[in-house]
Amino acid sequence: MASPPDANVIPDLERQPLLTNQDGDNANGTNQARSHIPSGLGRRSGLEQQRQESVRRCWRIGLLAIVLALIGFLVMGVYDLITGQAGGSPYGHLNGSCDHVEPISPAEFQERQTNLSRLLVDLKSTAYITEPGSNMKFFTNIHWSQSERPFLLIVQAKRNKAEKVLTKTTIIAPAFEASRARQNLLPGSSISVKTWEEGGSAYKVVREVLDAPWDGSDDKDQDSVKDIDANGSKKPKDPEQIYVDPDMRQFVSHGISTALESSTRKVVIADRAISLLRMIKTDHEIEILRCVSQTTVNVIRAVKENIKVGVHESEVQQMLTEAYDQAGLDYENGNSLVLFGKDAALPHGSGNDTKLEQGMMVLIDSGARLHGYLSDITRTFWVKRGLNKEMNDELDKVWGIVKRAQNASLQAIHPGAACSSIDKAARSLIDNEGYGARFTHRLGHGIGLDGHEEPYLNIGNTDTKLRAGMTFTNEPGIYVEGDYGIRLEDVVLVTDAGYEILSGELAESANEP
């Protein structure tokens, strides 16, 4: 007889055989197998599988979300690179706008001196003298500040027996500044530096330079058949003309005149023809002006997109500084006019730091440098129109008048036209619209190394005629003190066929500057 099972031993259910009904048949006459695994344990196993499947599904969803996020960041990064906002700057798309434009080369500066010499000979002048400033930069690329100590450029010219025009260029500098002066010379420059000691006279050195023979010959060697009269004697020579720059300070020009008064030389203001050397731009200068002007327009447009109601004029100044920095132009912080609402009624501003309110127009007059050459662009535009429809309509109407005046003056531009006629074309249109007294300044000014230079487009300048290569601004405006001011300004080039807008696209509307 078998021993009874031990009550303390737990049966191994998974190792037990399946048991059948002891009677062999169930009530239905079928032989049904029964498992020794409890039915509750099977249900728990199914729930565990469902739980594990849910976990796996969550992992898959999480990984998919991570992948999508990474793709999103990648797309945003590519977008930032395309739109120029990489690094958080909204102006990154301006980066390197003019990197392709080269500066004026040493050979071009030498050519400018040669052109000056030819002109001096034609004008029967033997020398041109100037102080630090734009003319010195134009001929030599020397950047120097004026002080009580004279620092002078002398360009001498003569024609030799072979009828070749010769050039000699000299810098007169304080002795203690000689090394710094030489460091300012371009590579390969033939310019010599002469010095004067403290307690001495710069003007005495000027005379010594003018008296000294040069090009290895004495001035007597320059006598030609034209200098001999019918008796074979030398004709008396007219006094040599020494040109001094029109912008030279009075005490400097007086010092030069005094030093030369016992000589056969006469000091006179330089002929106006010399100013044409700067007024008529070369192709290279035009390329520089075109790029710096178009980039300035792009800067203003980019900044406009970031101006919101509530900002102050000074905050927009900071936006301009950041945008110019991205563009790679030389810009001095705060060197723009940013005027809101009635502040713009004064053409050069009122010095307030006004907060922009709904219904105020924004005027930005801005410029920067590229290789020494300046831009000067003005745009007036809406950020958010006001609730006063009558005032909105008035501002839109006046904006349209200014725009049409600019177009009218552009159509008047052609070689040979008097500067006064260009101003008159814009002024007449504004006057016919009833705002003549509100156009309070000239139409424009020349632009290049200086922000304001010849030619000047004003109603009284009937003498200066336009020539191909001249560049200037075109900036009509209407100003109602206490209410608003609207001005549009672009840079224009005179061409053989008429004109080119160097600043590119004109403002389209008060919403699209």
Side-chain angles (χ1 to χ4, degrees), residues 80-86 89-97 298-299 301-303 306 326-327:
D80 285 345
L81 289 174
I82 294 173
T83 61
Q85 297 186 25
S89 172
Y91 311 113
H93 63 287
L94 300 169
N95 191 7
S97 296
N298 292 335
V299 163
R301 288 174 175 170
V303 166
N306 291 278
Q326 288 289 328

Side-chain angles (χ1 to χ4, degrees), residues 335-337 363-367 376-379 475 487 489:
N335 199 30
S336 296
L337 289 174
L363 184 151
I364 296 179
D365 184 340
S366 186
D376 194 357
I377 304 294
T378 302
R379 293 290 186 267
E475 48 181 307
R487 180 167 69 252
E489 178 181 17

Side-chain angles (χ1 to χ4, degrees), residues 108-182:
E108 288 172 283
F109 284 107
Q110 184 59 54
E111 183 179 6
R112 291 174 178 181
Q113 295 171 39
T114 300
N115 291 338
L116 174 58
S117 295
R118 292 193 183 106
L119 187 54
L120 290 173
V121 169
D122 291 343
L123 295 170
K124 302 187 184 308
S125 174
T126 58
Y128 166 83
I129 307 176
T130 189
E131 286 195 274
S134 294
N135 284 335
M136 184 178 286
K137 292 175 189 175
F138 178 78
F139 290 116
T140 67
N141 198 41
I142 292 176
H143 297 243
W144 202 273
S145 299
Q146 290 185 357
S147 74
E148 74 282 4
R149 296 181 175 94
F151 183 94
L152 303 170
L153 166 69
I154 304 176
V155 178
Q156 295 172 264
K158 67 180 178 181
R159 182 179 280 117
N160 64 12
K161 289 182 178 181
E163 295 300 307
K164 180 181 178 181
V165 174
L166 306 176
T167 305
K168 180 185 178 185
T169 307
T170 308
I171 290 292
I172 308 294
F176 74 93
E177 296 276 36
S179 295
R180 188 162 73 96
R182 291 188 178 94

Side-chain angles (χ1 to χ4, degrees), residues 27 44 57 72 92 99 106 113 130 179 202 212 218 250 294 302 308 361 370 376 394 406 409 433 455 478 487:
R44 285 197 298 273
R57 186 162 47 248
D99 284 355
Q113 295 171 39
T130 189
S179 295
D218 192 282
Q250 193 275 336
Q294 292 183 9
K308 310 296 180 187
M361 272 193 153
L370 174 65
D376 194 357
E394 166 73 5
Q406 188 184 50
S409 58
E433 293 290 341
I478 293 175
R487 180 167 69 252

Side-chain angles (χ1 to χ4, degrees), residues 175-216:
F176 74 93
E177 296 276 36
S179 295
R180 188 162 73 96
R182 291 188 178 94
Q183 290 172 2
N184 269 263
L185 301 181
L186 290 167
S189 173
S190 61
I191 298 175
S192 62
V193 177
K194 302 294 182 182
T195 62
W196 57 278
E197 298 288 346
E198 294 279 274
S201 171
Y203 311 116
K204 179 180 177 182
V205 179
V206 169
R207 176 157 183 170
E208 290 172 355
V209 168
L210 295 176
D211 283 346
W214 54 284
D215 192 45

